[in-house]
Amino acid sequence: MKALRILFIVAGILAFLEFLFILLTSNTHHGHYMQAILSAALVLYGVFCNRIPKKIHIALWTLCLFPAAFCLFLMIYGNRSHVDFSENAMIVLGAGLQGDEVGRHLALRLDTAVSYLNQNPDAIVVVSGGLGVGRNVTEAEAMSRYLVRQGIAPERILQEGASTSTYENLTFSNEILLDLFPDGYSAVVVSNDFHIFRATRQARSIGIDATALGAPTPWHTIPANYLREMVAIINFWLFS
């Protein structure tokens, strides 16, 4: 039991240190603050574990089953291959920039896109993302530059640089693609694995014939991103 208590305390401390690192070096979202709360809860649980009644232990572990299963489902879904390389187009959803360059999450999305585009040379790609606060270029512009450096021909790349959310990413990209394919089209939606489930359903909700292609998520950002995504999916189910 002592080893388990130490494990909870150490895990909580490490998770909080990672939160502080992100807070000091990068952009944060509410998932990071949820991670901070979770890290404090892990430390407190480890410290007071011996004083908690057995029934409370059971209730806490039962309460954790749902989010744990939910995250596992999102991870499995986001890492399955859903494409057949016959799609007309690809939509790469934007993420944060670092200065005027793509950040780590976005680079992984774009690397995944490059691999697909090399296997489907007839597909075009829409890079989607607007101008962030304090930025000099849109996410779409930075994404386009990255793809060109990776060998994707500029004429295959279309920029959607007005969106500020996943819903707008997909809606505005759909408008661009409908101008090119007035009779309809099929598209691959690319995002990080935690985001694929919601992105695909939002795409289908606005009429896109969408399949999904998940990119890896940097390991140290998994807790914050999956916590945030659970809340976003619940919000999507309740209010869409």
Side-chain angles (χ1 to χ4, degrees):
M1 191 64 173
K2 183 178 179 181
L4 188 61
R5 292 177 60 197
I6 293 173
L7 180 63
F8 280 114
I9 293 170
V10 171
I13 291 172
L14 291 176
F16 189 76
L17 289 175
E18 198 274 333
F19 161 73
L20 290 178
F21 176 76
I22 294 295
L23 188 66
L24 295 172
T25 62
S26 184
N27 296 325
T28 58
H29 52 66
H30 61 258
H32 293 108
Y33 296 97
M34 294 171 67
Q35 177 179 324
I37 293 170
L38 178 61
S39 65
L42 287 172
V43 171
L44 290 173
Y45 185 80
V47 170
F48 297 107
C49 186
N50 289 342
R51 304 180 189 179
I52 299 174
K54 184 177 180 180
K55 289 183 179 180
I56 302 299
H57 278 296
I58 294 172
L60 288 172
W61 282 101
T62 302
L63 189 64
C64 290
L65 286 177
F66 173 73
F70 199 174
C71 286
L72 181 61
F73 166 76
L74 293 179
M75 185 173 292
I76 292 171
Y77 187 94
N79 284 282
R80 291 173 55 207
S81 177
H82 302 270
V83 302
D84 61 15
F85 300 99
S86 67
E87 293 82 6
N88 305 114
M90 167 176 280
I91 301 171
V92 185
L93 304 180
L97 301 181
Q98 293 180 349
D100 291 342
E101 300 296 328
V102 301
R104 180 60 177 157
H105 285 81
L106 190 47
L108 289 169
R109 297 182 189 188
L110 293 167
D111 290 341
T112 300
V114 169
S115 178
Y116 174 91
L117 292 168
N118 286 335
Q119 295 178 73
N120 183 4
D122 294 326
I124 62 171
V125 55
V126 179
V127 288
S128 179
L131 187 66
V133 176
R135 302 302 181 194
N136 298 314
V137 299
T138 64
E139 291 175 8
E141 174 64 26
M143 294 161 75
S144 179
R145 293 175 184 173
Y146 187 95
L147 289 178
V148 170
R149 289 197 298 268
Q150 299 302 312
I152 303 302
E155 58 268 21
R156 296 180 67 189
I157 305 170
L158 302 174
Q159 294 186 31
E160 183 290 295
S163 56
T164 59
S165 66
T166 298
Y167 180 79
E168 289 184 353
N169 285 155
L170 294 165
T171 299
F172 299 161
S173 296
N174 184 46
E175 292 171 359
I176 291 172
L177 289 170
L178 284 175
D179 285 340
L180 292 176
F181 302 100
D183 296 326
Y185 65 93
S186 59
V188 180
V189 176
V190 179
S191 189
N192 297 98
D193 51 22
F194 66 86
H195 191 216
I196 283 295
F197 178 79
R198 178 166 59 97
T200 305
R201 269 135 193 85
Q202 285 189 308
R204 292 171 182 167
S205 74
I206 62 175
I208 299 175
D209 178 12
T211 55
L213 188 58
T217 299
W219 66 270
H220 64 283
T221 70
I222 285 175
N225 282 313
Y226 275 86
L227 288 169
R228 178 193 188 192
E229 190 62 19
M230 282 193 297
V231 174
I233 289 172
I234 292 170
N235 181 70
F236 173 68
W237 282 341
L238 291 176
F239 300 108
S240 63

XYZ file of all heavy atoms in Angstrom, residues 87-161:
555
model
N -10.022 9.426 -51.672
C -10.748 10.653 -51.363
C -10.314 11.796 -52.290
O -9.173 11.837 -52.743
C -10.517 11.042 -49.898
C -11.127 10.081 -48.893
C -10.285 8.853 -48.605
O -9.141 8.794 -49.120
O -10.752 7.962 -47.877
N -11.241 12.711 -52.530
C -10.947 13.848 -53.403
C -10.074 14.898 -52.734
O -9.300 15.600 -53.411
C -12.245 14.535 -53.847
C -13.223 13.598 -54.504
O -14.301 13.336 -53.971
N -12.861 13.069 -55.666
N -10.231 15.031 -51.414
C -9.589 16.157 -50.735
C -9.224 15.778 -49.308
O -9.681 14.759 -48.764
C -10.515 17.366 -50.723
N -8.407 16.631 -48.728
C -8.008 16.496 -47.332
C -8.199 17.846 -46.656
O -7.917 18.894 -47.251
C -6.548 16.057 -47.242
C -5.929 16.183 -45.867
S -4.238 15.534 -45.841
C -4.595 13.781 -45.705
N -8.699 17.811 -45.423
C -8.813 19.017 -44.607
C -7.939 18.826 -43.379
O -8.167 17.911 -42.580
C -10.270 19.280 -44.176
C -11.180 19.439 -45.387
C -10.341 20.518 -43.280
C -12.667 19.485 -45.039
N -6.924 19.667 -43.238
C -6.050 19.604 -42.065
C -6.465 20.723 -41.117
O -6.409 21.900 -41.473
C -4.565 19.750 -42.441
C -3.694 19.547 -41.201
C -4.177 18.755 -43.528
N -6.894 20.346 -39.924
C -7.374 21.314 -38.951
C -6.207 22.004 -38.260
O -5.212 21.372 -37.895
C -8.256 20.619 -37.918
C -9.453 19.843 -38.488
C -10.254 19.198 -37.366
C -10.333 20.743 -39.337
N -6.347 23.301 -38.059
C -5.275 24.096 -37.471
C -5.091 23.846 -35.988
O -5.957 23.299 -35.291
N -3.946 24.259 -35.488
C -3.615 24.226 -34.058
C -2.658 25.392 -33.815
O -2.382 26.172 -34.724
C -2.993 22.889 -33.661
N -2.146 25.499 -32.619
C -1.354 26.675 -32.282
C -0.036 26.774 -33.025
O 0.573 25.773 -33.395
N 0.390 28.018 -33.237
C 1.698 28.300 -33.821
C 2.703 28.647 -32.728
O 2.327 29.065 -31.627
C 1.610 29.469 -34.806
C 0.663 29.330 -35.999
C 0.747 30.582 -36.871
C 0.952 28.078 -36.802
N 3.958 28.487 -33.053
C 5.042 28.982 -32.208
C 5.752 30.062 -33.007
O 6.503 29.773 -33.928
C 6.003 27.846 -31.841
C 5.377 26.796 -30.942
C 6.334 25.679 -30.578
O 7.413 25.566 -31.140
N 5.932 24.845 -29.631
N 5.465 31.308 -32.656
C 5.916 32.412 -33.494
C 5.156 32.357 -34.807
O 3.926 32.358 -34.825
N 5.892 32.308 -35.900
C 5.273 32.204 -37.220
C 5.361 30.788 -37.790
O 5.052 30.562 -38.963
C 5.944 33.179 -38.197
C 5.644 34.632 -37.855
O 4.685 34.884 -37.108
O 6.398 35.510 -38.323
N 5.795 29.834 -36.966
C 5.953 28.455 -37.412
C 4.954 27.547 -36.713
O 4.441 27.876 -35.636
C 7.379 27.971 -37.154
C 8.459 28.769 -37.860
C 8.369 28.659 -39.377
O 7.941 27.591 -39.874
O 8.727 29.635 -40.064
N 4.702 26.401 -37.311
C 3.749 25.465 -36.719
C 4.317 24.896 -35.420
O 5.520 24.683 -35.282
C 3.399 24.323 -37.698
C 2.810 24.884 -38.976
C 4.604 23.447 -38.021
N 3.429 24.671 -34.453
C 3.826 24.032 -33.209
C 3.915 22.520 -33.367
O 3.656 21.961 -34.438
N 4.259 21.853 -32.268
C 4.500 20.403 -32.322
C 3.243 19.632 -32.714
O 3.306 18.728 -33.560
C 5.003 19.923 -30.960
C 5.282 18.422 -30.881
C 6.331 17.994 -31.886
N 6.643 16.574 -31.764
C 7.164 15.842 -32.740
N 7.439 16.392 -33.906
N 7.424 14.570 -32.561
N 2.092 19.960 -32.119
C 0.859 19.250 -32.461
C 0.527 19.409 -33.945
O 0.166 18.452 -34.630
C -0.317 19.765 -31.621
C -0.303 19.295 -30.210
N 0.465 19.879 -29.243
C -0.976 18.281 -29.600
C 0.273 19.260 -28.089
N -0.593 18.281 -28.279
N 0.666 20.622 -34.421
C 0.323 20.901 -35.814
C 1.322 20.260 -36.769
O 0.944 19.774 -37.846
C 0.259 22.414 -36.032
C -0.311 22.901 -37.363
C -1.615 22.204 -37.734
C -0.511 24.414 -37.326
N 2.584 20.223 -36.395
C 3.588 19.564 -37.236
C 3.268 18.082 -37.399
O 3.412 17.518 -38.497
C 4.972 19.751 -36.642
N 2.818 17.450 -36.326
C 2.455 16.034 -36.413
C 1.246 15.838 -37.330
O 1.184 14.854 -38.081
C 2.169 15.484 -35.011
C 3.402 15.319 -34.111
C 2.984 15.038 -32.669
C 4.292 14.200 -34.624
N 0.287 16.751 -37.285
C -0.851 16.672 -38.209
C -0.374 16.796 -39.654
O -0.815 16.049 -40.537
C -1.866 17.782 -37.903
C -2.494 17.702 -36.538
C -3.527 18.811 -36.307
N -3.952 18.843 -34.915
C -4.935 19.588 -34.439
N -5.612 20.385 -35.263
N -5.262 19.560 -33.165
N 0.514 17.730 -39.888
C 0.982 17.971 -41.249
C 1.873 16.844 -41.756
O 1.820 16.492 -42.940
C 1.718 19.311 -41.309
C 0.816 20.534 -41.069
C 1.659 21.779 -40.824
C -0.127 20.760 -42.236
N 2.671 16.258 -40.886
C 3.470 15.102 -41.297
C 2.570 13.941 -41.702
O 2.848 13.220 -42.670
C 4.395 14.663 -40.155
C 5.516 15.655 -39.900
O 5.810 16.483 -40.790
O 6.103 15.607 -38.796
N 1.479 13.757 -40.959
C 0.501 12.722 -41.306
C -0.151 13.036 -42.641
O -0.362 12.139 -43.473
C -0.566 12.621 -40.199
O 0.072 12.273 -38.962
C -1.617 11.571 -40.529
N -0.447 14.314 -42.870
C -1.039 14.735 -44.143
C -0.091 14.469 -45.308
O -0.512 13.997 -46.374
C -1.399 16.219 -44.084
N 1.187 14.765 -45.128
C 2.179 14.547 -46.192
C 2.224 13.080 -46.591
O 2.251 12.731 -47.779
C 3.569 15.043 -45.748
C 4.646 14.575 -46.727
C 3.588 16.564 -45.646
N 2.236 12.205 -45.590
C 2.267 10.769 -45.873
C 1.068 10.358 -46.713
O 1.207 9.602 -47.682
C 2.304 9.988 -44.554
O 2.284 8.600 -44.799
N -0.112 10.860 -46.356
C -1.315 10.528 -47.122
C -1.242 11.107 -48.537
O -1.534 10.418 -49.516
C -2.567 11.059 -46.420
C -3.819 10.877 -47.251
C -4.582 9.724 -47.130
C -4.209 11.838 -48.187
C -5.716 9.538 -47.920
C -5.329 11.655 -48.978
C -6.082 10.506 -48.839
O -7.182 10.312 -49.626
N -0.873 12.372 -48.656
C -0.853 13.037 -49.966
C 0.144 12.386 -50.919
O -0.080 12.374 -52.132
C -0.536 14.522 -49.778
C -1.625 15.342 -49.077
C -1.093 16.710 -48.671
C -2.861 15.489 -49.960
N 1.218 11.857 -50.385
C 2.176 11.150 -51.238
C 1.610 9.838 -51.767
O 2.032 9.355 -52.821
C 3.470 10.877 -50.461
C 4.299 12.134 -50.270
O 4.201 13.087 -51.041
N 5.125 12.152 -49.232
N 0.636 9.284 -51.036
C 0.009 8.033 -51.472
C -1.249 8.266 -52.298
O -1.751 7.330 -52.923
C -0.329 7.171 -50.251
C 0.908 6.715 -49.483
C 0.548 5.900 -48.262
O 0.122 4.747 -48.368
N 0.700 6.491 -47.085
N -1.759 9.484 -52.268
C -2.932 9.833 -53.075
C -2.622 11.128 -53.831
O -3.054 12.209 -53.443
C -4.165 10.005 -52.186
C -5.427 10.308 -52.993
O -5.409 10.322 -54.228
N -6.540 10.553 -52.305
N -1.867 11.032 -54.917
C -1.384 12.242 -55.611
C -2.478 13.053 -56.282
O -2.226 14.189 -56.693
C -0.401 11.679 -56.643
C -0.821 10.261 -56.848
C -1.340 9.793 -55.527
N -3.681 12.513 -56.392
C -4.772 13.256 -57.019
C -5.529 14.134 -56.031
O -6.336 14.979 -56.443
C -5.764 12.277 -57.666
C -5.146 11.517 -58.825
O -4.297 12.099 -59.525
O -5.505 10.348 -59.027
N -5.310 13.943 -54.737
C -6.052 14.700 -53.728
C -5.475 16.102 -53.559
O -4.269 16.314 -53.658
C -6.018 13.968 -52.394
N -6.361 17.048 -53.289
C -5.926 18.389 -52.895
C -6.066 18.501 -51.380
O -6.725 17.674 -50.737
C -6.748 19.486 -53.595
C -8.224 19.386 -53.213
C -6.579 19.416 -55.099
C -9.042 20.562 -53.682
N -5.454 19.526 -50.817
C -5.503 19.682 -49.364
C -5.888 21.112 -49.011
O -5.375 22.075 -49.587
C -4.145 19.302 -48.718
C -2.981 20.087 -49.331
C -4.192 19.476 -47.204
N -6.819 21.231 -48.061
C -7.185 22.530 -47.498
C -6.554 22.622 -46.116
O -6.807 21.777 -45.253
C -8.712 22.703 -47.385
C -9.041 24.070 -46.774
C -9.381 22.549 -48.734
N -5.712 23.616 -45.914
C -5.136 23.868 -44.591
C -5.982 24.958 -43.941
O -6.221 26.011 -44.519
C -3.653 24.265 -44.678
C -2.814 23.063 -45.047
C -3.407 25.378 -45.689
N -6.439 24.691 -42.730
C -7.489 25.519 -42.149
C -7.098 26.058 -40.787
O -6.816 25.290 -39.857
C -8.774 24.683 -42.029
O -9.810 25.441 -41.458
N -7.067 27.379 -40.649
C -6.770 28.012 -39.378
C -6.544 29.497 -39.556
O -5.841 29.923 -40.474
N -7.140 30.280 -38.682
C -7.083 31.732 -38.818
C -5.903 32.373 -38.109
O -4.904 31.715 -37.772
N -6.027 33.669 -37.875
C -4.958 34.474 -37.281
C -5.128 34.493 -35.773
O -6.108 35.012 -35.242
C -5.000 35.898 -37.833
C -3.854 36.825 -37.453
C -2.547 36.331 -38.058
C -4.148 38.252 -37.929
N -4.163 33.906 -35.054
C -4.219 33.885 -33.600
C -3.812 35.221 -32.998
O -3.234 36.087 -33.668
N -4.116 35.374 -31.721
C -3.786 36.609 -31.013
C -2.268 36.795 -30.979
O -1.518 35.892 -30.600
C -4.343 36.571 -29.575
C -3.917 37.819 -28.807
C -5.858 36.432 -29.588
N -1.815 37.956 -31.407
C -0.395 38.266 -31.380
C 0.418 37.615 -32.472
O 1.654 37.670 -32.437
N -0.235 37.022 -33.469
C 0.484 36.356 -34.554
C 0.548 37.252 -35.781
O -0.303 38.120 -35.993
C -0.200 35.039 -34.925
C -0.324 34.047 -33.771
C 1.020 33.699 -33.186
N 0.921 32.732 -32.106
C 1.892 32.451 -31.259
N 3.050 33.063 -31.361
N 1.729 31.551 -30.306
N 1.569 37.006 -36.605
C 1.750 37.785 -37.828
C 1.248 37.063 -39.066
O 1.076 37.678 -40.113
C 3.238 38.133 -38.014
C 3.780 38.999 -36.895
O 3.139 39.969 -36.500
N 4.944 38.650 -36.367
N 1.060 35.753 -38.966
C 0.567 34.968 -40.095
C -0.561 34.076 -39.613
O -0.653 33.738 -38.423
C 1.674 34.089 -40.727
C 2.804 34.943 -41.255
C 2.199 33.067 -39.732
N -1.440 33.708 -40.519
C -2.502 32.775 -40.171
C -1.916 31.369 -40.009
O -0.845 31.055 -40.533
C -3.589 32.735 -41.255
O -3.018 32.240 -42.476
C -4.187 34.114 -41.482
N -2.659 30.548 -39.289
C -2.252 29.150 -39.187
C -2.198 28.517 -40.573
O -1.288 27.730 -40.882
C -3.229 28.390 -38.288
C -3.155 28.779 -36.826
C -4.202 28.106 -35.975
O -4.911 27.205 -36.481
O -4.340 28.475 -34.794
N -3.157 28.877 -41.426
C -3.198 28.304 -42.778
C -1.943 28.638 -43.567
O -1.398 27.786 -44.282
C -4.444 28.811 -43.519
N -1.454 29.858 -43.442
C -0.241 30.258 -44.158
C 0.969 29.471 -43.654
O 1.784 28.976 -44.441
C -0.002 31.760 -43.988
C 1.311 32.265 -44.569
C 1.405 32.125 -46.080
O 0.340 32.107 -46.750
O 2.531 32.018 -46.597
N 1.092 29.362 -42.323
C 2.209 28.611 -41.756
C 2.131 27.136 -42.151
O 3.152 26.497 -42.444
C 2.215 28.748 -40.230
N 0.927 26.597 -42.181
C 0.738 25.197 -42.574
C 1.111 24.984 -44.040
O 1.756 23.994 -44.396
C -0.716 24.787 -42.329
C -1.111 24.766 -40.849
S -2.900 24.832 -40.604
C -3.375 23.156 -41.038
N 0.714 25.921 -44.885
C 1.031 25.822 -46.301
C 2.541 25.840 -46.528
O 3.077 25.029 -47.300
C 0.367 26.974 -47.065
O 0.678 26.917 -48.435
N 3.239 26.727 -45.844
C 4.694 26.802 -45.974
C 5.337 25.480 -45.554
O 6.275 24.988 -46.190
C 5.245 27.934 -45.104
C 4.849 29.342 -45.550
C 5.354 30.352 -44.529
N 4.935 31.708 -44.837
C 5.129 32.744 -44.042
N 5.754 32.574 -42.878
N 4.710 33.950 -44.376
N 4.840 24.905 -44.472
C 5.390 23.643 -43.975
C 5.211 22.536 -45.008
O 6.144 21.767 -45.275
C 4.689 23.279 -42.665
C 5.277 22.077 -41.952
C 6.216 22.230 -40.937
C 4.882 20.777 -42.281
C 6.761 21.138 -40.283
C 5.410 19.674 -41.631
C 6.347 19.861 -40.632
O 6.884 18.768 -39.993
N 4.007 22.447 -45.585
C 3.749 21.406 -46.584
C 4.644 21.570 -47.811
O 5.155 20.583 -48.355
C 2.279 21.429 -47.001
C 1.263 20.948 -45.963
C -0.149 21.076 -46.519
C 1.533 19.502 -45.536
N 4.835 22.799 -48.241
C 5.700 23.045 -49.408
C 7.131 22.601 -49.101
O 7.804 21.990 -49.944
C 5.643 24.529 -49.822
C 6.710 24.846 -50.870
C 4.258 24.875 -50.366
N 7.602 22.897 -47.887
C 8.948 22.454 -47.503
C 9.061 20.932 -47.470
O 10.146 20.385 -47.666
C 9.329 23.032 -46.134
C 9.589 24.533 -46.135
C 10.357 24.966 -44.901
N 9.635 24.707 -43.671
C 8.826 25.577 -43.071
N 8.640 26.787 -43.601
N 8.219 25.276 -41.952
N 7.945 20.270 -47.246
C 7.942 18.804 -47.224
C 7.702 18.199 -48.606
O 7.563 16.981 -48.741
C 6.862 18.297 -46.256
C 7.055 18.734 -44.817
C 8.381 18.297 -44.239
O 8.763 17.142 -44.367
N 9.094 19.222 -43.606
N 7.657 19.047 -49.638
C 7.584 18.542 -51.002
C 6.202 18.494 -51.626
O 6.045 17.968 -52.735
N 5.198 19.045 -50.955
C 3.856 19.090 -51.538
C 3.764 20.285 -52.483
O 4.106 21.413 -52.113
C 2.776 19.180 -50.446
C 2.899 18.004 -49.470
C 1.379 19.217 -51.064
C 2.789 16.635 -50.107
N 3.304 20.050 -53.696
C 3.235 21.113 -54.701
C 2.267 22.209 -54.259
O 1.162 21.911 -53.797
C 2.782 20.529 -56.034
N 2.647 23.477 -54.397
C 1.789 24.577 -53.949
C 0.404 24.572 -54.587
O -0.574 24.981 -53.941
C 2.578 25.829 -54.358
C 3.996 25.381 -54.425
C 3.953 23.953 -54.888
N 0.311 24.094 -55.835
C -0.994 24.105 -56.510
C -1.970 23.091 -55.920
O -3.169 23.151 -56.210
C -0.819 23.855 -58.011
C -0.119 22.560 -58.371
C 1.387 22.733 -58.517
O 1.943 23.712 -57.975
O 1.993 21.879 -59.208
N -1.484 22.195 -55.086
C -2.380 21.235 -54.428
C -2.922 21.775 -53.111
O -3.783 21.144 -52.488
C -1.648 19.916 -54.142
C -1.181 19.166 -55.366
C -0.469 17.877 -54.971
N -1.364 16.902 -54.365
C -0.971 15.769 -53.780
N 0.323 15.489 -53.714
N -1.851 14.941 -53.266
N -2.429 22.939 -52.683
C -2.743 23.453 -51.352
C -3.688 24.646 -51.442
O -3.417 25.620 -52.153
C -1.462 23.873 -50.613
C -0.466 22.702 -50.560
C -1.790 24.354 -49.202
C 0.909 23.112 -50.063
N -4.792 24.582 -50.717
C -5.734 25.696 -50.598
C -5.741 26.172 -49.153
O -5.723 25.352 -48.225
C -7.138 25.259 -51.011
C -7.287 24.707 -52.435
C -8.699 24.179 -52.650
C -6.954 25.776 -53.460
N -5.788 27.476 -48.967
C -5.744 28.033 -47.614
C -7.123 28.537 -47.189
O -7.794 29.252 -47.928
C -4.747 29.180 -47.531
C -3.304 28.773 -47.728
C -2.342 29.931 -47.496
O -2.610 30.828 -46.697
N -1.218 29.913 -48.191
N -7.514 28.154 -45.978
C -8.705 28.701 -45.329
C -8.198 29.414 -44.090
O -7.879 28.772 -43.089
C -9.688 27.571 -44.988
C -10.999 28.018 -44.361
C -10.827 28.540 -42.947
O -10.446 27.750 -42.064
O -11.055 29.762 -42.735
N -8.118 30.723 -44.129
C -7.445 31.470 -43.075
C -8.342 32.354 -42.243
O -7.850 33.324 -41.656
